[in-house]
Amino acid sequence: MDIQLPPDFPQSAVDQFDLLREQGLLHYFPTDGEVVTYNDFNFEFKISPSIARKPVLAANAPERRGKGGPFVDPDPAFVVARPGPEHVVELSMHAMLRPHYVLHTRLFAPQTDDLDQGDWAATWAVMLAIRQRAHEPPMMIYNCGYEGGASQGHKHVQVFTEPRPGFALFPAEALALADKAKSATEKTTGGIVQHPNVPFEHFVQRLTEPITPAYLLAVYQRLLDCVRRAHREHVEKKQLDFANGVVSSVANGMAHRPSSNHRKAPSGTDGHYTPADDDMPASTVANNVIMTPDWMCLIPRRRGGKDGTGAGSLGMLGLLWLKNRQERAHWEELGMTKHLVWMGLPRHDQGQGAAAL
């Protein structure tokens, strides 16, 4: 697969970013973050006009089915590379980092599709250029599905220099804890691990050299199998709980019999208990993908947010870019880690430490 980037990339893209910003066409407002630890989970909140101006398509918008959208006919002023015949790299118009790349398919493909080897080849080429030419640590994210936090429906990943909050990101911490639990000479390499303090399902694997598109695809598919199993097991558990007439509360460890969701059969006899709409997932396929040159992490997602307060891939890591102070206050009202669990899938194995699955 022939992947080509301009020889002066990414410096040429940075220059283009600065020019577009100077012209008022690209929105970027660097801001200091507020670091907060809540229930042993680290958050960094940043409020920026870039996010306030960013459009988010409705779940049923025709653009999510390929009928229009900004990536179908991209503005040449924002295009910085065409790595192969299938992909385009643009500068994000609503940036939180400098620069902030959007790598999308040239032809429409839905944002609910899995990433394929071509996607990984183009993504890794951009990341490698950032690491080798700009000497910066790169990161990519893929918000799969509306419930995964995707603002657009045309298949795209985002690439940028890894954010540097005032804390270590939990996938890196999970690997470090797993290494510490092993002998001094044994390092976690192929095992999938989880962080003991993260209350929602997530799956992390260390990446080892040599990194190739085929290798990344294999790691991704392995982690994606874990995501799909977690979605399936969550639904099965909820259905079993309600079939037995019991609703378990992860938050307080109590159980009770449901009342408002008890259905009557057509004959008038008692039917089956059914889960409340708010308890069952809006999606059983959505997920977040985050990758650095050191690790890949996948997070299953049920919902994109509540009343305008949601998160994409970075938000599930605790890195939250917000529209205004009202949204910041809403995170407090929603319970912060409780809201992350509501958008993801609750774990039932906490307390067992970070270990290979």
Side-chain angles (χ1 to χ4, degrees):
M1 188 174 298
D2 186 25
I3 301 295
Q4 297 289 334
L5 291 171
D8 54 355
F9 181 90
Q11 185 56 53
S12 58
V14 175
D15 294 341
Q16 194 167 337
F17 181 99
D18 291 343
L19 178 61
L20 288 168
R21 186 188 180 204
E22 183 180 331
Q23 294 171 339
L25 301 175
L26 186 152
H27 310 299
Y28 171 60
F29 304 90
T31 180
D32 294 332
E34 173 200 4
V35 175
V36 176
T37 300
Y38 184 86
N39 286 346
D40 295 322
F41 190 93
N42 294 317
F43 292 86
E44 182 186 64
F45 294 99
K46 287 188 174 185
I47 297 172
S48 172
S50 298
I51 301 303
R53 300 180 184 187
K54 184 177 180 179
V56 178
L57 292 177
N60 60 351
E63 291 88 344
R64 291 190 183 272
R65 301 188 298 276
K67 298 179 180 180
F71 303 151
V72 174
D73 186 18
D75 185 340
F78 285 81
V79 174
V80 293
R82 295 182 182 272
E86 298 177 357
H87 294 86
V88 178
V89 182
E90 292 192 55
L91 294 168
S92 173
M93 183 181 295
H94 306 278
M96 284 297 294
L97 296 160
R98 172 184 176 268
H100 185 161
Y101 301 110
V102 177
L103 189 158
H104 59 81
T105 55
R106 186 177 62 84
L107 301 177
F108 177 80
Q111 186 73 359
T112 50
D113 278 3
D114 296 347
L115 296 174
D116 59 30
Q117 187 160 322
D119 298 322
W120 284 114
T123 298
W124 182 238
V126 174
M127 293 180 69
L128 203 58
I130 294 172
R131 185 172 70 168
Q132 293 181 344
R133 300 178 188 176
H135 308 291
E136 296 282 357
M139 174 181 277
M140 70 79 70
I141 61 173
Y142 179 52
N143 298 328
C144 180
Y146 177 80
E147 295 83 1
S151 60
Q152 298 291 325
H154 188 137
K155 188 180 187 184
H156 67 283
V157 305
Q158 299 173 63
V159 183
F160 35 73
T161 299
E162 183 178 340
R164 295 172 181 169
F167 54 86
L169 300 178
F170 76 71
E173 277 196 334
L175 288 166
L177 289 170
D179 288 345
K180 188 176 180 180
K182 292 177 174 290
S183 67
T185 59
E186 186 180 8
K187 189 175 184 179
T188 302
T189 53
I192 297 174
V193 303
Q194 294 183 304
H195 194 293
N197 294 338
V198 174
F200 52 84
E201 291 283 14
H202 61 282
F203 307 96
V204 184
Q205 182 170 331
R206 187 190 308 279
L207 300 179
T208 57
E209 300 285 353
I211 295 177
T212 65
Y215 169 69
L216 293 175
L217 177 64
V219 172
Y220 167 69
Q221 289 177 334
R222 185 181 184 208
L223 294 170
L224 194 58
D225 286 342
C226 295
V227 165
R228 287 173 172 155
R229 182 174 66 250
H231 271 302
R232 183 174 63 251
E233 290 177 351
H234 176 79
V235 172
E236 290 172 350
K237 182 179 186 304
K238 289 298 180 183
Q239 291 174 337
L240 181 61
D241 286 345
F242 278 91
N244 293 332
V246 175
V247 182
S248 298
S249 172
V250 176
N252 57 24
M254 298 176 65
H256 62 277
R257 292 183 63 85
S259 56
S260 60
N261 295 303
H262 186 244
R263 290 183 177 175
K264 291 284 187 178
S267 63
T269 59
D270 286 345
H272 295 290
Y273 287 98
T274 57
D277 289 341
D278 196 53
D279 198 45
M280 291 299 286
S283 173
T284 57
V285 297
N287 62 84
N288 295 134
V289 183
I290 311 103
M291 186 186 76
T292 73
D294 299 318
W295 48 262
M296 187 184 298
C297 174
L298 264 67
I299 302 170
R301 293 290 299 274
R302 287 184 287 176
R303 307 177 182 94
K306 176 179 284 189
D307 299 330
T309 298
S313 297
L314 288 181
M316 297 302 288
L317 295 186
L319 306 181
L320 288 152
W321 299 342
L322 310 178
K323 299 183 290 293
N324 48 45
R325 297 299 304 178
Q326 289 75 20
E327 187 178 6
R328 171 67 181 87
H330 199 205
W331 272 94
E332 295 277 358
E333 296 169 9
L334 293 171
M336 295 174 71
T337 51
K338 181 180 179 181
H339 189 46
L340 291 178
V341 173
W342 186 82
M343 292 188 292
L345 292 178
R347 285 177 63 186
H348 304 283
D349 64 338
Q350 281 192 277
Q352 298 179 14
L357 299 178

